[in-house]
Amino acid sequence: MEVLEAIRARRSVRKFDPDHRMTADEIDTLMQHVILSPTAFNIQNWRFVAVTDPARRTEIRKAAWDQSQVTEASLLLVLCMDLRSWEKSPERYWRNAPAKVSESMIREIRHFYRDDDMLQRDEGMRSCGMAAQTAMLAAKAMGYDSCPMDGFDFKRVGHLIDLPADHRICMMICIGRSMAQAHPRAGQLDLDEVYMQDGFA
Ligand SMILES: Cc1cc2nc3c(=O)[nH]c(=O)nc-3n(C[C@H](O)[C@H](O)[C@H](O)COP(=O)(O)O)c2cc1C
């Protein structure tokens, strides 16, 4: 599917075929594309938890105000961020670059993120947001639909996936075979209202 068409066709779906399961190969293809999403300084600070255990899914559904897509989608991805990825062997992120470039990037990474908790979290949100859209468009291109979600108790879901102390959850995405046509777009703003040139004045 062509990219612009995938963007137009992607809609949030809440009714998935509960009997359909994506194959391991399909999930691998999807995730191999997701991890090509950009991150600042290439720190790749996203972490993705695919929840496959039905009992855990049921518990997550309860923590998500019983939204049925949590258990009925083929794939439930919890998009998490590692707040400290910038300091965890950062040479990995530049290992194929010339030594001079790699050394200078590692210096900059430390300087940029050290002592700034808010920036570390913001960066995780940016990276996960990018990855989320990649996941949803890749899913669409593979013939699947998706639903992005933040309607859940983050603390409870964190507990259910054994989230490490230096990680945070950004959102979840349900992916699967749609059983229902998406509603017409609810209230798209005109481009004029959100797009401006040279500032807000
Ligand atoms: C960050 C985020 C969180 C969302 N959380 C939920 C959710 O918990 N449950 C749900 O049914 N839809 C959720 N949605 C879907 C939105 O309602 C949907 O994207 C919006 O209405 C636009 O519709 P569209 O995605 O079909 O274009 C979420 C979307 C985003 C981007």
Side-chain angles (χ1 to χ4, degrees):
M1 182 183 276
E2 197 242 324
V3 177
L4 295 182
E5 207 212 316
I7 293 170
R8 285 192 299 270
R10 182 219 56 80
R11 297 297 313 281
S12 295
V13 161
R14 281 95 187 176
K15 198 88 203 103
F16 291 99
D17 179 353
D19 298 323
H20 180 77
R21 285 287 164 258
M22 291 169 76
T23 65
D25 275 354
E26 284 177 314
I27 294 172
D28 186 63
T29 299
L30 180 82
M31 295 312 299
Q32 293 290 354
H33 286 80
V34 170
I35 62 169
L36 298 179
S37 306
T39 57
F41 294 106
N42 203 31
I43 59 173
Q44 297 159 78
N45 46 346
W46 13 242
R47 299 291 178 266
F48 307 97
V49 179
V51 184
T52 54
D53 173 38
R56 237 182 253 221
R57 284 254 208 139
T58 302
E59 288 305 307
I60 293 177
R61 177 169 167 172
K62 285 186 205 159
W65 300 294
D66 199 33
Q67 296 189 71
S68 60
Q69 66 267 30
V70 173
T71 51
E72 290 176 356
S74 304
L75 180 63
L76 174 68
L77 276 182
V78 187
L79 276 65
C80 310
M81 66 198 82
D82 181 349
L83 299 170
R84 315 295 293 183
S85 65
W86 59 275
E87 63 176 356
K88 294 179 181 168
S89 309
E91 62 282 354
R92 292 177 294 153
Y93 314 140
W94 291 93
R95 64 170 176 253
N96 299 325
K100 261 197 160 158
V101 174
S102 166
E103 282 156 23
S104 118
M105 292 310 288
I106 291 163
R107 251 194 325 274
E108 282 183 43
I109 287 172
R110 291 215 172 95
H111 179 71
F112 197 64
Y113 294 107
R114 194 173 41 208
D115 303 327
D116 195 338
D117 293 349
M118 192 182 284
L119 177 60
Q120 292 166 19
R121 188 188 164 98
D122 286 350
E123 207 67 279
M125 290 293 182
R126 279 188 276 274
S127 298
C128 287
M130 298 262 173
Q133 183 73 340
T134 304
M136 293 187 288
L137 294 181
K140 194 75 213 171
M142 292 170 66
Y144 287 109
D145 281 285
S146 59
C147 185
M149 292 183 64
D150 66 4
F152 58 91
D153 180 332
F154 279 61
K155 222 171 163 185
R156 263 179 80 189
V157 173
H159 180 68
L160 288 164
I161 62 165
D162 307 309
L163 190 73
D166 59 357
H167 287 50
R168 295 288 179 275
I169 295 175
C170 170
M171 62 191 290
M172 304 197 291
I173 304 181
C174 297
I175 295 174
R177 186 187 273 164
S178 170
M179 296 258 284
Q181 197 87 345
H183 299 296
R185 290 187 187 276
Q188 205 66 26
L189 297 179
D190 286 336
L191 183 59
D192 286 351
E193 194 175 332
V194 296
Y195 172 73
M196 55 214 82
Q197 288 188 352
D198 301 323
F200 279 83

